[in-house]
Amino acid sequence: VGRLAVDKRWQKKGIGRTIMAKIAAQAYESSETAGLRLIVVQAEKEAINFYDKLGFVPVFETREEKRRFKSRHTRTMFLDLLALSDIA
């Protein structure tokens, strides 16, 4: 996911959740033929809880991740598409 943002006036209305659900569904469908496994995002500090609620998991805490968070206030997170197979 390159960039995902919802105007503050439209936040908390399920728009971001709907967009991510459609992205995840498309990725899951494509994973059967394209070898996709993960959706990876660089979550802004303010969006970490949003992605967490959607099932995204932070990558392991490394020096690089600590530096990235300290300098850019972002956190690398991923959603494992195999986990979606249990839901689908």
Side-chain angles (χ1 to χ4, degrees):
V1 177
R3 292 277 186 254
L4 172 65
V6 176
D7 187 289
K8 288 189 186 266
R9 296 170 293 179
W10 291 92
Q11 290 179 1
K12 309 280 188 214
K13 298 182 187 319
I15 295 169
R17 182 178 300 276
T18 299
I19 292 169
M20 286 307 300
K22 290 190 181 289
I23 290 170
Q26 181 65 45
Y28 179 75
E29 286 179 30
S30 299
S31 71
E32 295 176 16
T33 56
L36 298 172
R37 170 76 190 266
L38 303 173
I39 298 174
V40 180
V41 297
Q42 286 295 322
E44 303 260 342
K45 184 178 180 180
E46 299 81 15
I48 291 172
N49 286 336
F50 167 77
Y51 287 109
D52 184 57
K53 289 177 187 173
L54 295 177
F56 282 77
V57 178
V59 298
F60 294 108
E61 193 72 30
T62 63
R63 283 188 204 146
E64 180 64 28
E65 271 301 300
K66 287 179 184 179
R67 273 195 296 265
R68 182 180 292 116
F69 188 76
K70 187 175 180 181
S71 66
R72 299 183 197 157
H73 304 287
T74 64
R75 185 74 202 264
T76 306
M77 301 179 79
F78 68 91
L79 179 67
D80 188 342
L81 295 173
L82 287 183
L84 297 179
S85 65
D86 297 335
I87 299 169

